[in-house]
């Protein structure tokens, strides 16, 4: 692996000085911008393939669908490796490929396409990513209760089962509980203003 050191000078208004960081050079594992595959796009392609063949009244080409599933599995493994390296090298993060509810959308689209993931790796990994996303932003005010419910609903409609989706449901329940407590305190604060 090859790295470069990037230094940044801070203006005096920000305290002066400088910062530095290691950035990988010419390594596709770290470079999200050059990656051809995107999990959400591949899931959409799988759904599009199935819908297209259905509209034409022909059978789905299972080999093509299997190739798409293999690419999704490979991309999820790459993202998993990047996530592991992200603690040591912050520039290796997934750069938003599955932020928000994208993992839930991908799981739902794959289930609509009839994808039975081998050993449930795809669905388990997508549920884990969705759990991490809810932990990251689920308690923020910018994330509404219906956003949390949309994520949970998509995994439920996809028929995903297992410990990873149960973890997702627990995280979502915690997020909703925090949101309910915040709404209750907002109502109490509003009623105090009227007196």
């Amino acid at each position: 692996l090859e790295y470069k050191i990037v230094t940044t000078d801070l203006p005096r208004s920000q305290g002066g000085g400088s910062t530095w960081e290691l950035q990988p050079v010419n390594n596709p594992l770290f470079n999200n911008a050059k990656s051809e595959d995107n999990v959400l796009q591949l899931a959409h392609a799988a759904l599009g393939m199935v819908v297209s063949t259905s509209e034409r009244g022909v059978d789905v080409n299972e080999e093509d669908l299997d190739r798409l599933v293999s690419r999704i599995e490979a991309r999820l493994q790459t993202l998993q490796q990047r996530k592991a390296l992200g603690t040591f090298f912050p520039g290796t993060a997934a750069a938003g490929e599955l932020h928000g509810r994208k993992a839930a959308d991908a799981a739902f689209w794959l289930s609509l396409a009839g994808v039975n993931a081998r050993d449930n790796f795809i669905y388990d990994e997508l549920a884990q990513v969705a759990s991490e996303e809810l932990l990251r932003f689920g308690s923020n005010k910018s994330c509404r209760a219906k956003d949390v419910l949309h994520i949970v609903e998509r995994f439920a409609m996809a028929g995903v089962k297992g410990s990873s989706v149960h973890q997702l449901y627990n995280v979502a329940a915690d997020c909703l509980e925090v949101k309910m407590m915040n709404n209750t305190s907002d109502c109490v604060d509003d009623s105090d203003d009227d007196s």
Side-chain angles (χ1 to χ4, degrees), residues 14-83:
Q14 294 180 354
S18 62
T19 62
W20 66 274
E21 65 179 310
L22 287 175
Q23 287 187 352
V25 177
N26 297 329
N27 188 332
L29 181 63
F30 300 112
N31 190 352
N32 192 42
K34 292 183 180 175
S35 175
E36 296 175 12
D37 289 340
N38 176 302
V39 174
L40 192 61
Q41 290 173 348
L42 291 171
H44 194 258
L47 179 58
M49 179 189 310
V50 171
V51 168
S52 173
T53 58
S54 174
E55 288 174 346
R56 290 180 293 157
V58 296
D59 291 336
V60 175
N61 184 335
E62 293 294 332
E63 289 176 8
D64 288 344
L65 190 58
D66 284 344
R67 274 194 292 271
L68 277 176
V69 170
S70 295
R71 287 172 61 188
I72 291 169
E73 288 174 341
R75 183 64 183 157
L76 285 170
Q77 287 174 345
T78 300
L79 292 175
Q80 199 175 43
Q81 292 168 351
R82 288 173 61 183
K83 181 175 57 177

Side-chain angles (χ1 to χ4, degrees), residues 2 24 32 35 45 78 89 135 147:
E2 198 177 318
N32 192 42
S35 175
T78 300
F89 305 107
L135 287 171
D147 298 327

Side-chain angles (χ1 to χ4, degrees), residues 5 12-14 16 18 25 31 45 50-51 55 59 97-98 101 111 113 116 139 144 148 153 155 178 183 191:
I5 297 174
R12 293 182 99 187
S13 63
Q14 294 180 354
S18 62
V25 177
N31 190 352
V50 171
V51 168
E55 288 174 346
D59 291 336
E97 183 170 325
L98 291 174
R101 69 177 220 194
S111 70
N116 294 323
S139 298
R144 302 165 298 184
V148 175
E153 180 182 52
F155 276 97
V178 167
N183 280 343
S191 65

Side-chain angles (χ1 to χ4, degrees), residues 117-139:
R118 300 171 202 127
D119 302 323
N120 285 329
F121 170 78
I122 290 176
Y123 293 110
D124 286 342
E125 188 62 27
L126 289 172
Q128 186 177 358
V129 168
S131 294
E132 291 167 1
E133 278 299 293
L134 281 179
L135 287 171
R136 182 183 68 81
F137 83 100
S139 298

